[in-house]
Amino acid sequence: MAKTGVFDSDPTVMGKATELKKELQRLILAIIDDDNYSTDTIDHAKEILCALKELKLRKRSRSSNLYENLICPDQFRCPLSRELMRDPVVVSTGETYDRPFIHKWLKAGNRTCPRTQQVLSHTNLTPNHLIREMISQWCKSRGIELQDRVHYLDDDTITEADRDQFLTLIEKMSMTISEQKAAAKELRMLTKRMPSFRALFGESLDAISSLLSPLCGDNSQSSIHTDLQEDVITTLLNLSIHDNNKKLVAETPKVIPLLMEALRSGTMETRSNAAAALFTLSALDSNKALIGKSGALEPLIDLLDEGHPLAIKDAASAIFNLCIIHENKARAVRDGAVRVLLKKIMKQMHVDELLAILAMLSNHPKAIEEMGELGAVPFLLRIIRESPCSRNKENCIVIIHAICLYDRTKWKDIREEEKSYRTISELAQNGTSRAKRKASGILERLNRAVNMTHTA
């Protein structure tokens, strides 16, 4: 396998990247489809991801701005990037900008000229051939090769103008309520559409705390200004998407408490976005533990219980991710997850996602006891009979296997099911590899019980 250091000397880097991606795809499919995958498979996948990451960083480094420190006439600098223009274009107000940066401005939803603040009559970009030729001659006279930036501008590129705009908006979060609202709405939009703004939050120690300030302390108006709360919480969601921000966001004081408050009291969109933020943050195991200890599972389960179409999937995804670590399983069971999950599954709501969570909890004794008491076995057997989804069948038999090992009284339901429908036998022959193992285990126990009865 190609190790991380391979990119230092291999001239066929793109070919290596393609090979690595193919190998990574093969490993991921093996992990998804085979329950018996080894830890070596995971380690192998991690090595490939590290190698691909280094390739990406090296490519970005090679494509970095070659002219950042170049002193050039002001009319050759883009008003947005404040750097030498490669592809100057004119907007409807007559102002000239470098194409990638004005395109980025328009793509973010802006419909004004950045320099004059006039509303643009149209968004067509007209090449400024005169300025282009002047820049070309100026570069040629200094032995500089002018490259077309449009080919290598990355969405993560952070310009000086971006930084200025970012700092201005953060400063407004401590001003009047109207300025806070306007700044929060713009930060929400920018962090959604521009990865560079997500990255900027990671560069400042106080930026996230400043973003949250309108929702904190004695002067908090979040209960009155629900639109402000929604914009701030959604901005947190946008920030958490950026991998380098996950740890910083989760460990910033007040973030998780404010997300929990939003889960309980926000608009339905705010509650859904708060759940989605907890889901993305919980990609890190350290964050899973932190969020679980904070008590976030209870409001997530309450939100799931309400069953609002806008929020139920986000809540379920967050609960699933958090329950990957053992200590959070106990917390989820304690906070009533089993009852809520079974109730929703019986109502045919998001059965795929909720069965996966229930199966994950099925190695917890209290969860198994509760499932048995709530009459889960007959309903799960019916899903196995009627569902076309092999993954759902697998999750059902995993749960049934755990319940029956814990509570012998449930074997009666299994015997009757086998006698009437041969449900378990069918799954033992045609299920997934994991489902076959669990179904065969149940059949073996049934046969032993029958033999013992005959012997007696």
Side-chain angles (χ1 to χ4, degrees), residues 14 51 68 85 95 132 138 152-153 157 200 214 220 322 336 344 355 365 369 395 411 429-430 433 441:
M14 295 311 294
E68 284 180 354
M85 290 185 284
E95 298 292 335
R132 171 74 188 225
W138 183 84
Y152 59 84
L153 180 67
T157 301
L200 281 167
S220 171
L322 291 171
K344 297 301 174 188
L355 269 177
E369 179 183 354
N395 285 327
W411 288 104
Q429 291 181 351
N430 301 312
S433 58

Side-chain angles (χ1 to χ4, degrees), residues 9 36 47 79 130 192 242 310 322 340 363 399 449:
S9 57
N36 293 320
E47 289 178 0
L130 175 61
K192 176 182 179 181
H242 198 286
L310 185 65
L322 291 171
V340 172
N363 61 4
I399 299 166

Side-chain angles (χ1 to χ4, degrees), residues 213-448:
S213 60
L215 307 185
C216 300
D218 296 333
N219 296 323
S220 171
Q221 299 292 310
S222 60
S223 59
I224 302 172
H225 301 285
T226 54
D227 53 342
L228 175 59
Q229 183 192 36
E230 183 178 304
D231 288 334
V232 170
I233 294 299
T234 306
T235 301
L236 278 179
L237 167 59
N238 296 339
L239 296 182
S240 68
I241 294 170
H242 198 286
D243 286 343
N244 293 339
N245 286 344
K246 293 185 190 298
K247 185 175 176 64
L248 174 65
V249 171
E251 293 182 357
T252 297
K254 294 294 185 181
V255 164
I256 296 176
L258 284 173
L259 288 173
M260 290 168 59
E261 180 183 333
L263 285 172
R264 296 187 178 101
S265 63
T267 64
M268 191 50 67
E269 183 173 354
T270 301
R271 298 172 76 188
S272 177
N273 288 343
L278 290 171
F279 166 67
T280 56
L281 291 173
S282 64
L284 298 182
D285 284 348
S286 59
N287 286 353
K288 289 181 179 71
L290 181 62
I291 295 168
K293 288 177 184 175
S294 301
L297 276 160
E298 184 176 5
L300 282 169
I301 292 167
D302 289 343
L303 184 58
L304 184 67
D305 194 16
E306 288 187 30
H308 193 284
L310 185 65
I312 190 169
K313 194 158 189 175
D314 289 319
S317 298
I319 293 167
F320 179 89
N321 246 16
L322 291 171
C323 287
I324 289 173
I325 63 173
H326 183 72
E327 55 264 38
N328 283 341
K329 293 179 185 179
R331 294 184 178 109
V333 174
R334 180 198 64 201
D335 293 335
V338 172
R339 177 191 60 81
V340 172
L341 291 166
L342 274 175
K343 183 173 74 172
K344 297 301 174 188
I345 291 169
M346 290 178 179
K347 290 182 177 180
Q348 302 294 316
M349 296 179 68
H350 292 273
V351 174
D352 298 8
E353 295 91 341
L354 303 190
L355 269 177
I357 301 174
L358 206 59
M360 184 181 291
L361 298 178
S362 66
N363 61 4
H364 191 280
K366 180 63 178 175
I368 291 302
E369 179 183 354
E370 199 171 341
M371 290 179 206
E373 292 172 354
L374 292 170
V377 172
F379 189 78
L380 295 172
L381 287 169
R382 195 178 90 189
I383 293 177
I384 296 174
R385 287 198 311 270
E386 299 177 356
S387 174
C389 176
S390 59
R391 189 63 69 183
N392 286 352
K393 293 174 185 285
E394 176 187 310
N395 285 327
C396 285
I397 199 66
V398 166
I399 299 166
I400 291 170
H401 185 270
I403 294 174
C404 289
L405 290 182
Y406 178 85
D407 184 355
R408 292 184 178 182
T409 65
K410 305 304 177 186
W411 288 104
K412 180 181 177 182
D413 293 329
I414 302 298
R415 282 194 296 270
E416 291 177 356
E417 182 74 19
E418 269 300 284
K419 185 177 179 179
S420 300
Y421 303 103
R422 291 184 54 79
T423 303
I424 309 299
S425 296
E426 175 68 21
L427 196 58
Q429 291 181 351
N430 301 312
T432 64
S433 58
R434 188 184 186 200
K436 287 178 180 179
R437 290 197 306 274
K438 296 296 182 181
S440 297
I442 290 175
L443 291 174
E444 287 172 11
R445 286 179 174 269
L446 272 181
N447 291 333
R448 283 205 301 268

